[in-house]
Amino acid sequence: PNIVPGPNAQSPARLANLDKRNGALRVVTVGRYVDFKAATILAMMRTVERLRDDGLDITYTTYGGGPLLDKLVDFARSSRHSTAFTVRGEITNGEFGTEVTKYHAFFGMGGAVVRAAMLGVPSIVAIQRRADDTCYGLFSSYDHAQCPMFGDPDPSGVELPMDVVLREMALGGADRVAAIGAACKDAARVYGSSNTVDMLRVALHAAVRVEHEWMTWADAARIRAETWSSRLHGRSTLHA
């Protein structure tokens, strides 16, 4: 499916408060508060805590809904850096661009991180279900041809510590953040409508051959297409 980008996120106003010496790096996630995503959100919260212990001014806001909402709220409230965390409820698909472009960096997976990258927001790729402090690094450095961003873990993906990626942004200042955003936006062009259909087709064939040899192609295609459709579009609110 084609994901339509919104307004350019690289505005002077958005980057004005990010200074090499004293500006706060504002990070955001939009996604369901369920096991395989909440694990990565909690990992990011712990990473932000450690970086703040080192003196870096970083804040982290999440938007979503789901059964693990209370767990995330409890962590934020009990954190030694509680003022750095904001756990919010769901937003609609139409609100995604407006909210996400208020931040300096996006952390997530699947359709949400593709949308954020298309908006020119520097985007960090989360690893599904990973509870430690590793990620796939910047969206602009990820190998989208090898494993398109449909939410599944990438067995060949290069893993990096979250704190290394965030530290680079925090210390690089506004110019570095703007350059990363532009690179992410350029990398997201591969997810135009025709390219995305081709990548889905290749992934579905691979799923039948490798993961579901006992299934018919049609069964595997139906299951995975329904999963990706849910991740990319959600219901009335955004569940990316």
Side-chain angles (χ1 to χ4, degrees):
N2 191 33
I3 303 170
V4 181
N8 190 340
Q10 299 304 331
S11 65
R14 187 177 70 88
L15 297 174
N17 71 322
L18 182 61
D19 181 84
K20 290 182 180 180
R21 293 160 296 177
N22 54 24
L25 180 73
R26 291 161 48 82
V27 184
V28 65
T29 289
V30 178
R32 292 171 291 169
Y33 297 151
V34 293
D35 285 341
F36 73 96
K37 292 187 178 180
T40 67
I41 293 173
L42 287 168
M44 176 57 77
M45 286 178 162
R46 290 189 291 269
T47 298
V48 169
E49 279 190 325
R50 291 194 300 273
L51 289 172
R52 289 182 67 88
D53 287 343
D54 290 343
L56 294 180
D57 191 359
I58 301 177
T59 66
Y60 184 39
T61 300
T62 68
Y63 293 87
L68 297 181
L69 170 62
D70 289 344
K71 184 174 183 178
L72 299 180
V73 170
D74 288 345
F75 182 97
R77 286 177 175 170
S78 63
S79 170
R80 58 188 179 276
H81 296 289
S82 59
T83 58
F85 301 112
T86 304
V87 180
R88 298 188 181 276
E90 298 170 332
I91 58 174
T92 66
N93 281 285
E95 293 170 326
F96 184 91
T98 301
E99 292 302 315
V100 166
T101 53
K102 295 176 182 177
Y103 297 85
H104 302 116
F106 185 92
F107 173 69
M109 64 186 77
V113 75
V114 174
R115 291 184 70 178
M118 281 186 162
L119 289 164
V121 179
S123 299
I124 303 168
V125 182
I127 304 177
Q128 189 178 115
R129 298 187 185 279
R130 288 292 289 271
D132 59 13
D133 66 344
T134 56
C135 63
Y136 287 138
L138 295 174
F139 186 92
S140 53
S141 301
Y142 183 83
D143 188 346
H144 299 278
Q146 177 69 27
C147 187
M149 191 60 57
F150 298 130
D152 295 324
D154 180 1
S156 63
V158 177
E159 299 182 4
L160 295 171
M162 292 179 188
D163 59 349
V164 170
V165 181
L166 288 177
R167 191 181 296 273
E168 177 189 357
M169 289 189 188
L171 297 178
D175 290 343
R176 178 57 181 155
V177 169
I180 293 172
C184 288
K185 187 172 184 177
D186 185 64
R189 296 183 190 279
V190 70
Y191 292 94
S193 57
S194 59
N195 286 337
T196 302
V197 170
D198 290 340
M199 288 190 292
L200 273 169
R201 186 179 296 113
V202 170
L204 287 169
H205 277 289
V208 177
R209 291 195 306 269
V210 178
E211 299 175 22
H212 304 292
E213 292 182 357
W214 53 273
M215 282 187 180
T216 66
W217 189 93
D219 286 338
R222 174 180 55 78
I223 292 169
R224 296 180 74 81
E226 288 175 356
T227 300
W228 286 327
S229 177
S230 173
R231 288 173 179 167
L232 289 169
H233 293 290
R235 297 189 290 264
S236 60
T237 52
L238 185 69
H239 293 282

